[in-house]
Amino acid sequence: MMGVLMARVGRKRRLEVEAEYWRLLQSGVGTVEACKQLGIGRKTGYRWRSENGGLPPERVSEAVHSGRYLSLLERKRIATLREHGLGIREIAARLDRSPSTVSRELRRNMLEHDQGLYDADLAHHRSRQRGERPRRPKLRLDAELRAEVQAKLDLEWSPEQISAHLRALWPDRPDRHLCHETIYRALYQGAKGVLIRTLTKKLRTGRPLRKQRRKADQRAPRFAVPATLIDERPSVVELRGRAGDWEGDLITGRRNRTAIATLVDRRTRFVRLVALPDGHGADQVHARLTEALRDVPDTARMTLTWDQGAEMACHDRLAPLFRDGVFVAHRGSPWQRGTNENTNGLLRQYLPKGSDLSIHTADDLRAIEDRLNNRPRKTLGWRTPAELFAGALTA
């Protein structure tokens, strides 16, 4: 039996590989592909993601570390020179470091259970961990603030709504003001004593891991023919003074496998629903919209405004159907099609998220249209969209 109880040596972290893994993810590479490129198992990549809620760890990169500290390369040289039997002073001379630096490195980053062996990777990891001095988050220090945030999350408020609420609740307490990103990080990183990660179920997406997204201006263009941006749309459209200026989008079902196209007139809020039984690719959307617009008079087809989804790749073939053409909103700017976004929210009462939209027949969609088009609207002075649209056609 061994006279000394040996401590268990934990799994070594490959910091440089892990940093490269996160760099690949942030550049848009998927987890499986990143693991393949780095030669690591998928379980390792998934573990790195889950440990931090899908967020990159807040570690200082090697490039920004001060030269006062030993680099991983220097630690590897120390390990090699020790294996060759060189003493501390000779190693220090080879590295152009002080002997006390090398002596301190060996003393600090070699533990009893290392059995006198200096492991450069393990030593580097221990040094980096020791050097991390994470700030104590406000949510951990302030129990009342933490309780308020948790209460609003339980009510399914978004972090941005909570951030604005905290400023209104405690206008004279800037120490209790949090930006929404702070709340997101507290949720997904799941630090002890802050917010439990199960509260992510209360967010709109309900994702247990945060999804990395590329910035809108870094995404690849989806249209072979350049689209006309909303900036060039006739100014009369903003006034809502005429019928025939339509906004459109897709409502998608479970896992985006099924979809229904929605059209709404900006002036009258008149709604048209277009079934897409053959799929919601660009060709299918073009064909079904063309068919659906045949019974709409020319005088009620002025403009169409859509987002930059791939389903609108045939925008140039749709443009002749509208007198003033087809326009697309800026990327990541749904408010530029606010009428359509609001209408889609109303439609979700009948076409719930996560459902199979292919079960709705053409008659079902006509019935939903009739419900919305014959319902009085406050924004229309309690008149109905159908009434106003019919009046606009006969004017």
Side-chain angles (χ1 to χ4, degrees):
M1 182 180 293
M2 298 179 62
V4 179
L5 182 63
M6 303 291 289
R8 182 181 177 185
V9 181
R11 181 191 287 112
K12 289 193 297 186
R13 298 195 77 107
R14 292 178 282 175
L15 297 179
E16 301 312 308
V17 176
E18 188 174 347
E20 181 63 15
Y21 167 80
W22 284 109
R23 189 194 66 76
L24 288 172
L25 257 59
Q26 290 180 295
S27 69
V29 178
T31 295
V32 175
E33 179 61 26
C35 293
K36 186 184 298 183
Q37 291 185 26
L38 297 173
I40 60 176
R42 283 185 295 175
K43 287 186 178 180
T44 299
Y46 287 131
R47 174 168 54 81
W48 287 344
R49 282 190 64 209
S50 64
E51 283 176 348
N52 224 40
L55 297 171
E58 296 178 334
R59 291 196 185 98
V60 180
S61 66
E62 288 296 310
V64 299
H65 265 293
S66 168
R68 292 174 51 206
Y69 304 102
L70 290 172
S71 67
L72 177 59
L73 178 59
E74 287 177 308
R75 289 189 166 98
K76 288 183 176 180
R77 291 190 65 193
I78 291 174
T80 301
L81 294 173
R82 272 179 58 84
E83 287 179 2
H84 286 80
L86 274 65
I88 288 177
R89 290 189 178 276
E90 181 62 24
I91 294 174
R94 299 275 186 102
L95 295 178
D96 195 22
R97 290 281 191 175
S98 167
S100 62
T101 299
V102 178
S103 175
R104 186 164 51 246
E105 167 67 16
L106 296 173
R107 185 174 66 253
R108 286 179 174 177
N109 294 322
M110 282 177 58
L111 302 183
E112 184 179 352
H113 60 255
D114 292 338
Q115 299 179 338
L117 298 176
Y118 176 79
D119 186 312
D121 291 310
L122 187 56
H124 192 63
H125 176 57
R126 288 168 177 167
S127 176
R128 292 291 295 275
Q129 278 193 319
R130 192 183 302 111
E132 290 177 358
R133 295 181 177 85
R135 293 177 298 174
R136 299 188 67 190
K138 292 180 182 179
L139 287 169
R140 178 180 295 168
L141 300 173
D142 192 330
E144 185 178 0
L145 174 63
R146 183 169 64 252
E148 184 67 24
V149 171
Q150 288 178 337
K152 298 308 178 187
L153 285 170
D154 279 329
L155 294 176
E156 299 174 347
W157 285 31
S158 72
E160 194 168 14
Q161 290 170 332
I162 296 172
S163 176
H165 166 71
L166 296 177
R167 283 166 170 75
L169 182 62
W170 291 301
D172 301 324
R173 293 287 304 275
D175 58 309
R176 285 184 168 175
H177 297 174
L178 302 174
C179 71
H180 60 278
E181 182 62 24
T182 298
I183 300 174
Y184 273 118
R185 284 192 168 271
L187 269 173
Y188 281 102
Q189 290 176 333
K192 186 176 181 180
V194 187
L195 299 174
I196 55 175
R197 198 182 293 180
T198 54
L199 284 172
T200 56
K201 296 178 181 178
K202 299 291 185 177
L203 298 178
R204 182 180 60 83
T205 62
R207 293 192 187 102
L209 297 179
R210 198 168 184 188
K211 187 176 181 180
Q212 294 291 330
R213 296 181 182 273
R214 283 176 288 175
K215 295 181 180 178
D217 58 1
Q218 295 176 343
R219 296 173 190 156
R222 291 180 171 177
F223 303 152
V225 178
T228 306
L229 285 174
I230 195 172
D231 302 335
E232 300 180 42
R233 191 174 65 177
S235 57
V236 66
V237 179
E238 294 294 328
L239 302 177
R240 300 181 188 268
R242 67 182 187 182
D245 293 312
W246 299 85
E247 292 181 7
D249 196 10
L250 295 186
I251 283 183
T252 56
R254 186 183 182 191
R255 297 182 180 177
N256 294 329
R257 290 177 178 171
T258 57
I260 293 171
T262 66
L263 294 168
V264 58
D265 178 62
R266 284 175 54 83
R267 168 70 181 89
T268 65
R269 274 62 169 188
F270 188 79
V271 177
R272 293 296 305 271
L273 299 180
V274 182
L276 299 170
D278 306 322
H280 50 283
D283 289 330
Q284 293 94 331
V285 170
H286 165 257
R288 293 293 176 174
L289 286 180
T290 301
E291 183 181 345
L293 289 167
R294 283 177 183 165
D295 60 350
V296 178
D298 293 346
T299 55
R301 285 191 268 115
M302 300 297 184
T303 64
L304 173 65
T305 304
W306 208 278
D307 63 16
Q308 295 196 32
E311 71 277 1
M312 198 41 56
C314 296
H315 61 88
D316 54 315
R317 292 157 57 189
L318 278 172
L321 298 175
F322 298 88
R323 193 186 76 179
D324 295 332
V326 175
F327 305 87
V328 296
H330 289 278
R331 289 172 174 171
S333 304
W335 57 87
Q336 294 180 342
R337 304 169 14 267
T339 302
N340 183 252
E341 290 291 321
N342 179 65
T343 302
N344 287 350
L346 299 177
L347 288 167
R348 282 301 187 184
Q349 180 179 356
Y350 309 100
L351 307 169
K353 292 182 179 180
S355 63
D356 180 5
L357 300 183
S358 64
I359 65 173
H360 299 283
T361 65
D363 290 339
D364 294 335
L365 298 185
R366 297 293 81 76
I368 296 172
E369 283 180 7
D370 289 342
R371 285 286 182 93
L372 263 65
N373 290 333
N374 292 288
R375 180 185 299 172
R377 301 287 296 276
K378 181 178 180 180
T379 190
L380 302 177
W382 301 114
R383 289 175 292 178
T384 67
E387 175 189 351
L388 273 182
F389 191 74
L393 295 181
T394 57

